[in-house]
mmCIF file of all heavy atoms in Angstrom:
data_model
loop_
_atom_site.group_PDB
_atom_site.id
_atom_site.type_symbol
_atom_site.label_atom_id
_atom_site.label_comp_id
_atom_site.label_asym_id
_atom_site.label_seq_id
_atom_site.Cartn_x
_atom_site.Cartn_y
_atom_site.Cartn_z
ATOM 1 N N GLU A 375 24.310 19.284 4.655
ATOM 2 C CA GLU A 375 23.709 18.413 5.746
ATOM 3 C C GLU A 375 23.891 16.943 5.503
ATOM 4 O O GLU A 375 23.623 16.195 6.437
ATOM 5 C CB GLU A 375 22.218 18.757 5.776
ATOM 6 C CG GLU A 375 21.861 20.187 6.181
ATOM 7 C CD GLU A 375 20.359 20.514 5.989
ATOM 8 O OE1 GLU A 375 19.680 19.602 5.455
ATOM 9 O OE2 GLU A 375 19.971 21.601 6.342
ATOM 10 N N ASP A 376 24.356 16.517 4.408
ATOM 11 C CA ASP A 376 24.513 15.095 4.085
ATOM 12 C C ASP A 376 25.769 14.610 4.809
ATOM 13 O O ASP A 376 26.885 14.986 4.558
ATOM 14 C CB ASP A 376 24.693 14.916 2.643
ATOM 15 C CG ASP A 376 24.579 13.453 2.192
ATOM 16 O OD1 ASP A 376 24.671 12.572 3.054
ATOM 17 O OD2 ASP A 376 24.331 13.165 1.002
ATOM 18 N N PRO A 377 25.640 13.610 5.745
ATOM 19 C CA PRO A 377 26.816 13.127 6.469
ATOM 20 C C PRO A 377 27.749 12.336 5.617
ATOM 21 O O PRO A 377 28.892 12.280 5.970
ATOM 22 C CB PRO A 377 26.173 12.254 7.583
ATOM 23 C CG PRO A 377 24.862 11.843 7.002
ATOM 24 C CD PRO A 377 24.388 12.998 6.165
ATOM 25 N N ALA A 378 27.246 11.706 4.545
ATOM 26 C CA ALA A 378 28.153 10.985 3.675
ATOM 27 C C ALA A 378 27.808 11.368 2.238
ATOM 28 O O ALA A 378 27.140 10.620 1.504
ATOM 29 C CB ALA A 378 27.909 9.434 3.823
ATOM 30 N N PRO A 379 28.185 12.495 1.805
ATOM 31 C CA PRO A 379 27.770 12.982 0.485
ATOM 32 C C PRO A 379 28.252 12.168 -0.654
ATOM 33 O O PRO A 379 29.395 11.782 -0.753
ATOM 34 C CB PRO A 379 28.388 14.400 0.453
ATOM 35 C CG PRO A 379 29.589 14.348 1.426
ATOM 36 C CD PRO A 379 29.169 13.385 2.447
ATOM 37 N N ARG A 380 27.348 11.910 -1.564
ATOM 38 C CA ARG A 380 27.695 11.244 -2.851
ATOM 39 C C ARG A 380 27.950 12.266 -3.945
ATOM 40 O O ARG A 380 28.517 11.943 -4.934
ATOM 41 C CB ARG A 380 26.602 10.327 -3.278
ATOM 42 C CG ARG A 380 26.285 9.121 -2.281
ATOM 43 C CD ARG A 380 25.134 8.312 -2.833
ATOM 44 N NE ARG A 380 23.977 9.158 -3.024
ATOM 45 C CZ ARG A 380 22.886 8.869 -3.835
ATOM 46 N NH1 ARG A 380 22.939 7.725 -4.537
ATOM 47 N NH2 ARG A 380 21.901 9.633 -3.931
ATOM 48 N N TRP A 381 27.480 13.478 -3.636
ATOM 49 C CA TRP A 381 27.633 14.540 -4.681
ATOM 50 C C TRP A 381 28.507 15.695 -4.104
ATOM 51 O O TRP A 381 28.525 15.841 -2.896
ATOM 52 C CB TRP A 381 26.267 15.145 -5.041
ATOM 53 C CG TRP A 381 25.292 14.219 -5.684
ATOM 54 C CD1 TRP A 381 24.507 13.332 -5.084
ATOM 55 C CD2 TRP A 381 25.190 14.061 -7.164
ATOM 56 N NE1 TRP A 381 23.722 12.664 -6.104
ATOM 57 C CE2 TRP A 381 24.180 13.086 -7.303
ATOM 58 C CE3 TRP A 381 25.748 14.639 -8.249
ATOM 59 C CZ2 TRP A 381 23.742 12.658 -8.551
ATOM 60 C CZ3 TRP A 381 25.325 14.209 -9.499
ATOM 61 C CH2 TRP A 381 24.361 13.273 -9.665
ATOM 62 N N PHE A 382 29.231 16.362 -4.953
ATOM 63 C CA PHE A 382 29.910 17.576 -4.484
ATOM 64 C C PHE A 382 29.869 18.641 -5.612
ATOM 65 O O PHE A 382 29.667 18.294 -6.774
ATOM 66 C CB PHE A 382 31.414 17.270 -4.196
ATOM 67 C CG PHE A 382 32.210 16.706 -5.314
ATOM 68 C CD1 PHE A 382 32.954 17.512 -6.131
ATOM 69 C CD2 PHE A 382 32.233 15.357 -5.539
ATOM 70 C CE1 PHE A 382 33.722 16.978 -7.152
ATOM 71 C CE2 PHE A 382 32.931 14.752 -6.564
ATOM 72 C CZ PHE A 382 33.669 15.622 -7.406
ATOM 73 N N ALA A 383 29.845 19.850 -5.182
ATOM 74 C CA ALA A 383 29.627 20.995 -6.084
ATOM 75 C C ALA A 383 30.876 21.298 -6.908
ATOM 76 O O ALA A 383 31.965 21.236 -6.415
ATOM 77 C CB ALA A 383 29.193 22.203 -5.303
ATOM 78 N N ALA A 384 30.581 21.569 -8.172
ATOM 79 C CA ALA A 384 31.739 21.950 -9.043
ATOM 80 C C ALA A 384 31.867 23.458 -9.048
ATOM 81 O O ALA A 384 30.821 24.212 -8.902
ATOM 82 C CB ALA A 384 31.421 21.523 -10.503
ATOM 83 N N PRO A 385 33.032 24.047 -9.263
ATOM 84 C CA PRO A 385 33.288 25.509 -9.175
ATOM 85 C C PRO A 385 32.897 26.188 -10.445
ATOM 86 O O PRO A 385 33.714 26.574 -11.255
ATOM 87 C CB PRO A 385 34.758 25.543 -8.898
ATOM 88 C CG PRO A 385 35.315 24.306 -9.547
ATOM 89 C CD PRO A 385 34.330 23.260 -9.418
ATOM 90 N N VAL A 386 31.595 26.277 -10.731
ATOM 91 C CA VAL A 386 31.117 26.966 -11.942
ATOM 92 C C VAL A 386 30.004 27.994 -11.483
ATOM 93 O O VAL A 386 29.524 27.905 -10.394
ATOM 94 C CB VAL A 386 30.530 25.960 -12.995
ATOM 95 C CG1 VAL A 386 31.660 25.086 -13.446
ATOM 96 C CG2 VAL A 386 29.461 25.065 -12.298
ATOM 97 N N ASP A 387 29.628 28.839 -12.466
ATOM 98 C CA ASP A 387 28.641 29.874 -12.188
ATOM 99 C C ASP A 387 27.221 29.291 -12.110
ATOM 100 O O ASP A 387 26.386 29.844 -11.388
ATOM 101 C CB ASP A 387 28.734 30.942 -13.204
ATOM 102 C CG ASP A 387 29.986 31.751 -13.131
ATOM 103 O OD1 ASP A 387 30.610 31.801 -12.016
ATOM 104 O OD2 ASP A 387 30.434 32.365 -14.146
ATOM 105 N N TRP A 388 26.959 28.240 -12.803
ATOM 106 C CA TRP A 388 25.619 27.663 -12.715
ATOM 107 C C TRP A 388 25.611 26.495 -11.743
ATOM 108 O O TRP A 388 26.639 26.326 -11.020
ATOM 109 C CB TRP A 388 25.148 27.167 -14.085
ATOM 110 C CG TRP A 388 26.020 26.066 -14.748
ATOM 111 C CD1 TRP A 388 25.863 24.759 -14.638
ATOM 112 C CD2 TRP A 388 27.155 26.250 -15.548
ATOM 113 N NE1 TRP A 388 26.762 24.068 -15.336
ATOM 114 C CE2 TRP A 388 27.599 24.994 -15.900
ATOM 115 C CE3 TRP A 388 27.797 27.404 -16.051
ATOM 116 C CZ2 TRP A 388 28.683 24.821 -16.711
ATOM 117 C CZ3 TRP A 388 28.892 27.211 -16.886
ATOM 118 C CH2 TRP A 388 29.363 25.926 -17.205
ATOM 119 N N ILE A 389 24.533 25.777 -11.585
ATOM 120 C CA ILE A 389 24.508 24.701 -10.610
ATOM 121 C C ILE A 389 25.030 23.404 -11.266
ATOM 122 O O ILE A 389 24.407 22.881 -12.184
ATOM 123 C CB ILE A 389 23.040 24.506 -10.086
ATOM 124 C CG1 ILE A 389 22.465 25.790 -9.597
ATOM 125 C CG2 ILE A 389 23.007 23.462 -9.039
ATOM 126 C CD1 ILE A 389 20.985 25.811 -9.364
ATOM 127 N N GLU A 390 26.147 22.879 -10.764
ATOM 128 C CA GLU A 390 26.697 21.672 -11.291
ATOM 129 C C GLU A 390 27.135 20.803 -10.153
ATOM 130 O O GLU A 390 27.976 21.253 -9.327
ATOM 131 C CB GLU A 390 27.790 21.923 -12.269
ATOM 132 C CG GLU A 390 28.320 20.675 -12.912
ATOM 133 C CD GLU A 390 29.338 20.952 -14.076
ATOM 134 O OE1 GLU A 390 28.834 21.442 -15.106
ATOM 135 O OE2 GLU A 390 30.542 20.670 -13.832
ATOM 136 N N LEU A 391 26.629 19.586 -10.033
ATOM 137 C CA LEU A 391 27.078 18.644 -8.990
ATOM 138 C C LEU A 391 27.687 17.450 -9.639
ATOM 139 O O LEU A 391 27.193 16.908 -10.660
ATOM 140 C CB LEU A 391 25.816 18.206 -8.168
ATOM 141 C CG LEU A 391 25.036 19.355 -7.483
ATOM 142 C CD1 LEU A 391 23.823 18.723 -6.716
ATOM 143 C CD2 LEU A 391 25.870 20.204 -6.626
ATOM 144 N N TRP A 392 28.804 16.996 -9.057
ATOM 145 C CA TRP A 392 29.461 15.791 -9.590
ATOM 146 C C TRP A 392 29.219 14.606 -8.592
ATOM 147 O O TRP A 392 29.042 14.777 -7.433
ATOM 148 C CB TRP A 392 30.992 16.000 -9.646
ATOM 149 C CG TRP A 392 31.335 16.983 -10.745
ATOM 150 C CD1 TRP A 392 30.538 17.738 -11.493
ATOM 151 C CD2 TRP A 392 32.697 17.300 -11.131
ATOM 152 N NE1 TRP A 392 31.214 18.550 -12.329
ATOM 153 C CE2 TRP A 392 32.527 18.311 -12.133
ATOM 154 C CE3 TRP A 392 33.939 16.883 -10.779
ATOM 155 C CZ2 TRP A 392 33.673 18.820 -12.783
ATOM 156 C CZ3 TRP A 392 35.062 17.447 -11.377
ATOM 157 C CH2 TRP A 392 34.921 18.417 -12.379
ATOM 158 N N HIS A 393 29.176 13.411 -9.163
ATOM 159 C CA HIS A 393 28.877 12.187 -8.422
ATOM 160 C C HIS A 393 30.063 11.265 -8.470
ATOM 161 O O HIS A 393 30.841 11.297 -9.441
ATOM 162 C CB HIS A 393 27.592 11.539 -8.995
ATOM 163 C CG HIS A 393 27.109 10.392 -8.166
ATOM 164 N ND1 HIS A 393 27.569 9.174 -8.275
ATOM 165 C CD2 HIS A 393 26.082 10.332 -7.277
ATOM 166 C CE1 HIS A 393 26.913 8.312 -7.435
ATOM 167 N NE2 HIS A 393 25.944 9.087 -6.843
ATOM 168 N N GLY A 394 30.169 10.367 -7.555
ATOM 169 C CA GLY A 394 31.297 9.370 -7.468
ATOM 170 C C GLY A 394 31.314 8.445 -8.646
ATOM 171 O O GLY A 394 32.352 7.795 -8.894
ATOM 172 N N TYR A 395 30.227 8.314 -9.414
ATOM 173 C CA TYR A 395 30.182 7.428 -10.591
ATOM 174 C C TYR A 395 30.877 8.139 -11.789
ATOM 175 O O TYR A 395 30.910 7.539 -12.848
ATOM 176 C CB TYR A 395 28.842 6.943 -10.939
ATOM 177 C CG TYR A 395 28.215 5.909 -10.083
ATOM 178 C CD1 TYR A 395 27.051 5.986 -9.541
ATOM 179 C CD2 TYR A 395 28.992 4.743 -9.861
ATOM 180 C CE1 TYR A 395 26.504 4.987 -8.692
ATOM 181 C CE2 TYR A 395 28.452 3.700 -9.109
ATOM 182 C CZ TYR A 395 27.252 3.864 -8.568
ATOM 183 O OH TYR A 395 26.693 2.841 -7.735
ATOM 184 N N GLY A 396 31.252 9.401 -11.629
ATOM 185 C CA GLY A 396 31.714 10.120 -12.798
ATOM 186 C C GLY A 396 30.597 10.729 -13.584
ATOM 187 O O GLY A 396 30.696 10.883 -14.819
ATOM 188 N N THR A 397 29.495 11.052 -12.919
ATOM 189 C CA THR A 397 28.376 11.652 -13.531
ATOM 190 C C THR A 397 28.170 13.107 -13.073
ATOM 191 O O THR A 397 28.723 13.433 -12.001
ATOM 192 C CB THR A 397 27.046 10.861 -13.364
ATOM 193 O OG1 THR A 397 26.829 10.782 -11.948
ATOM 194 C CG2 THR A 397 27.197 9.435 -13.922
ATOM 195 N N VAL A 398 27.390 13.855 -13.828
ATOM 196 C CA VAL A 398 27.251 15.202 -13.423
ATOM 197 C C VAL A 398 25.746 15.621 -13.568
ATOM 198 O O VAL A 398 25.031 15.114 -14.437
ATOM 199 C CB VAL A 398 28.062 16.153 -14.390
ATOM 200 C CG1 VAL A 398 27.705 15.968 -15.850
ATOM 201 C CG2 VAL A 398 28.014 17.591 -13.927
ATOM 202 N N LEU A 399 25.358 16.471 -12.664
ATOM 203 C CA LEU A 399 23.934 16.978 -12.649
ATOM 204 C C LEU A 399 24.012 18.480 -12.781
ATOM 205 O O LEU A 399 24.728 19.150 -12.002
ATOM 206 C CB LEU A 399 23.240 16.593 -11.336
ATOM 207 C CG LEU A 399 21.877 17.182 -11.083
ATOM 208 C CD1 LEU A 399 20.859 16.685 -12.072
ATOM 209 C CD2 LEU A 399 21.407 16.840 -9.621
ATOM 210 N N THR A 400 23.344 19.040 -13.803
ATOM 211 C CA THR A 400 23.389 20.470 -14.026
ATOM 212 C C THR A 400 21.960 21.021 -13.935
ATOM 213 O O THR A 400 20.984 20.435 -14.419
ATOM 214 C CB THR A 400 23.975 20.858 -15.406
ATOM 215 O OG1 THR A 400 23.207 20.193 -16.426
ATOM 216 C CG2 THR A 400 25.425 20.399 -15.502
ATOM 217 N N VAL A 401 21.849 22.271 -13.391
ATOM 218 C CA VAL A 401 20.567 22.988 -13.394
ATOM 219 C C VAL A 401 20.869 24.401 -13.763
ATOM 220 O O VAL A 401 21.634 25.087 -13.060
ATOM 221 C CB VAL A 401 19.944 22.915 -11.924
ATOM 222 C CG1 VAL A 401 18.570 23.592 -11.942
ATOM 223 C CG2 VAL A 401 19.784 21.493 -11.458
ATOM 224 N N ASN A 402 20.362 24.870 -14.890
ATOM 225 C CA ASN A 402 20.797 26.139 -15.416
ATOM 226 C C ASN A 402 19.672 26.862 -16.073
ATOM 227 O O ASN A 402 18.747 26.247 -16.632
ATOM 228 C CB ASN A 402 21.894 25.917 -16.419
ATOM 229 C CG ASN A 402 22.683 27.192 -16.757
ATOM 230 O OD1 ASN A 402 22.616 28.137 -15.953
ATOM 231 N ND2 ASN A 402 23.412 27.156 -17.836
ATOM 232 N N SER A 403 19.632 28.241 -16.031
ATOM 233 C CA SER A 403 18.662 29.006 -16.697
ATOM 234 C C SER A 403 19.097 29.123 -18.193
ATOM 235 O O SER A 403 20.207 29.497 -18.448
ATOM 236 C CB SER A 403 18.655 30.445 -16.122
ATOM 237 O OG SER A 403 18.294 30.391 -14.712
ATOM 238 N N VAL A 404 18.168 28.744 -19.043
ATOM 239 C CA VAL A 404 18.489 28.772 -20.523
ATOM 240 C C VAL A 404 17.270 29.328 -21.247
ATOM 241 O O VAL A 404 16.165 29.393 -20.743
ATOM 242 C CB VAL A 404 18.843 27.346 -21.062
ATOM 243 C CG1 VAL A 404 20.046 26.795 -20.335
ATOM 244 C CG2 VAL A 404 17.655 26.470 -20.905
ATOM 245 N N GLU A 405 17.545 29.726 -22.535
ATOM 246 C CA GLU A 405 16.460 30.240 -23.331
ATOM 247 C C GLU A 405 16.057 29.201 -24.425
ATOM 248 O O GLU A 405 16.914 28.922 -25.289
ATOM 249 C CB GLU A 405 16.807 31.626 -24.008
ATOM 250 C CG GLU A 405 15.657 32.245 -24.685
ATOM 251 C CD GLU A 405 16.000 33.612 -25.163
ATOM 252 O OE1 GLU A 405 17.227 34.000 -25.172
ATOM 253 O OE2 GLU A 405 15.053 34.381 -25.571
ATOM 254 N N ASN A 406 14.839 28.683 -24.406
ATOM 255 C CA ASN A 406 14.431 27.788 -25.428
ATOM 256 C C ASN A 406 14.051 28.568 -26.652
ATOM 257 O O ASN A 406 13.393 29.634 -26.551
ATOM 258 C CB ASN A 406 13.127 27.057 -24.843
ATOM 259 C CG ASN A 406 12.608 26.022 -25.868
ATOM 260 O OD1 ASN A 406 12.094 26.334 -26.905
ATOM 261 N ND2 ASN A 406 12.566 24.767 -25.459
ATOM 262 N N PRO A 407 14.456 28.174 -27.862
ATOM 263 C CA PRO A 407 14.250 28.976 -29.080
ATOM 264 C C PRO A 407 12.797 29.112 -29.390
ATOM 265 O O PRO A 407 12.425 30.037 -30.144
ATOM 266 C CB PRO A 407 14.995 28.188 -30.132
ATOM 267 C CG PRO A 407 15.231 26.855 -29.629
ATOM 268 C CD PRO A 407 15.362 26.961 -28.108
ATOM 269 N N LYS A 408 11.909 28.265 -28.831
ATOM 270 C CA LYS A 408 10.505 28.341 -29.140
ATOM 271 C C LYS A 408 9.682 28.876 -27.954
ATOM 272 O O LYS A 408 8.683 29.586 -28.224
ATOM 273 C CB LYS A 408 9.908 26.922 -29.471
ATOM 274 C CG LYS A 408 10.462 26.342 -30.785
ATOM 275 C CD LYS A 408 9.882 27.091 -32.003
ATOM 276 C CE LYS A 408 10.340 26.406 -33.276
ATOM 277 N NZ LYS A 408 9.810 27.138 -34.439
ATOM 278 N N LEU A 409 10.144 28.633 -26.750
ATOM 279 C CA LEU A 409 9.290 28.976 -25.569
ATOM 280 C C LEU A 409 9.962 29.954 -24.606
ATOM 281 O O LEU A 409 9.396 30.191 -23.549
ATOM 282 C CB LEU A 409 8.950 27.680 -24.830
ATOM 283 C CG LEU A 409 8.125 26.699 -25.629
ATOM 284 C CD1 LEU A 409 7.969 25.399 -24.864
ATOM 285 C CD2 LEU A 409 6.769 27.271 -25.989
ATOM 286 N N GLY A 410 11.115 30.495 -24.977
ATOM 287 C CA GLY A 410 11.714 31.504 -24.078
ATOM 288 C C GLY A 410 12.420 30.873 -22.926
ATOM 289 O O GLY A 410 12.878 29.751 -22.976
ATOM 290 N N TRP A 411 12.450 31.619 -21.819
ATOM 291 C CA TRP A 411 13.307 31.277 -20.685
ATOM 292 C C TRP A 411 12.693 30.160 -19.793
ATOM 293 O O TRP A 411 11.474 30.063 -19.744
ATOM 294 C CB TRP A 411 13.597 32.455 -19.814
ATOM 295 C CG TRP A 411 14.578 33.438 -20.444
ATOM 296 C CD1 TRP A 411 14.281 34.466 -21.300
ATOM 297 C CD2 TRP A 411 15.961 33.304 -20.405
ATOM 298 N NE1 TRP A 411 15.413 35.072 -21.736
ATOM 299 C CE2 TRP A 411 16.506 34.330 -21.220
ATOM 300 C CE3 TRP A 411 16.895 32.447 -19.774
ATOM 301 C CZ2 TRP A 411 17.842 34.555 -21.370
ATOM 302 C CZ3 TRP A 411 18.251 32.689 -19.929
ATOM 303 C CH2 TRP A 411 18.744 33.725 -20.717
ATOM 304 N N GLY A 412 13.604 29.384 -19.232
ATOM 305 C CA GLY A 412 13.191 28.340 -18.287
ATOM 306 C C GLY A 412 14.439 27.725 -17.687
ATOM 307 O O GLY A 412 15.533 28.266 -17.837
ATOM 308 N N ILE A 413 14.228 26.658 -16.926
ATOM 309 C CA ILE A 413 15.352 25.991 -16.294
ATOM 310 C C ILE A 413 15.571 24.653 -16.945
ATOM 311 O O ILE A 413 14.646 23.850 -17.038
ATOM 312 C CB ILE A 413 15.090 25.775 -14.787
ATOM 313 C CG1 ILE A 413 15.063 27.127 -14.120
ATOM 314 C CG2 ILE A 413 16.102 24.895 -14.129
ATOM 315 C CD1 ILE A 413 14.744 27.074 -12.620
ATOM 316 N N MET A 414 16.775 24.376 -17.415
ATOM 317 C CA MET A 414 17.176 23.106 -17.999
ATOM 318 C C MET A 414 17.859 22.251 -16.966
ATOM 319 O O MET A 414 18.769 22.693 -16.279
ATOM 320 C CB MET A 414 18.078 23.284 -19.207
ATOM 321 C CG MET A 414 18.451 21.998 -19.891
ATOM 322 S SD MET A 414 17.026 21.139 -20.736
ATOM 323 C CE MET A 414 17.022 22.060 -22.283
ATOM 324 N N ILE A 415 17.386 21.053 -16.809
ATOM 325 C CA ILE A 415 17.990 20.019 -15.849
ATOM 326 C C ILE A 415 18.604 18.957 -16.749
ATOM 327 O O ILE A 415 17.922 18.448 -17.646
ATOM 328 C CB ILE A 415 16.898 19.467 -14.973
ATOM 329 C CG1 ILE A 415 16.275 20.599 -14.080
ATOM 330 C CG2 ILE A 415 17.486 18.406 -14.030
ATOM 331 C CD1 ILE A 415 14.933 20.072 -13.414
ATOM 332 N N GLY A 416 19.782 18.491 -16.455
ATOM 333 C CA GLY A 416 20.411 17.432 -17.163
ATOM 334 C C GLY A 416 21.297 16.601 -16.310
ATOM 335 O O GLY A 416 21.957 17.070 -15.458
#
Side-chain angles (χ1 to χ4, degrees):
E375 295 170 358
D376 192 343
R380 296 178 304 159
W381 295 87
F382 59 95
V386 293
D387 292 334
W388 62 92
I389 307 169
E390 183 171 291
L391 305 179
W392 292 5
H393 188 278
Y395 281 131
T397 58
V398 61
L399 172 65
T400 59
V401 184
N402 196 17
S403 302
V404 300
E405 188 173 14
N406 181 297
K408 294 289 186 181
L409 298 174
W411 287 92
I413 293 177
M414 181 68 83
I415 300 167

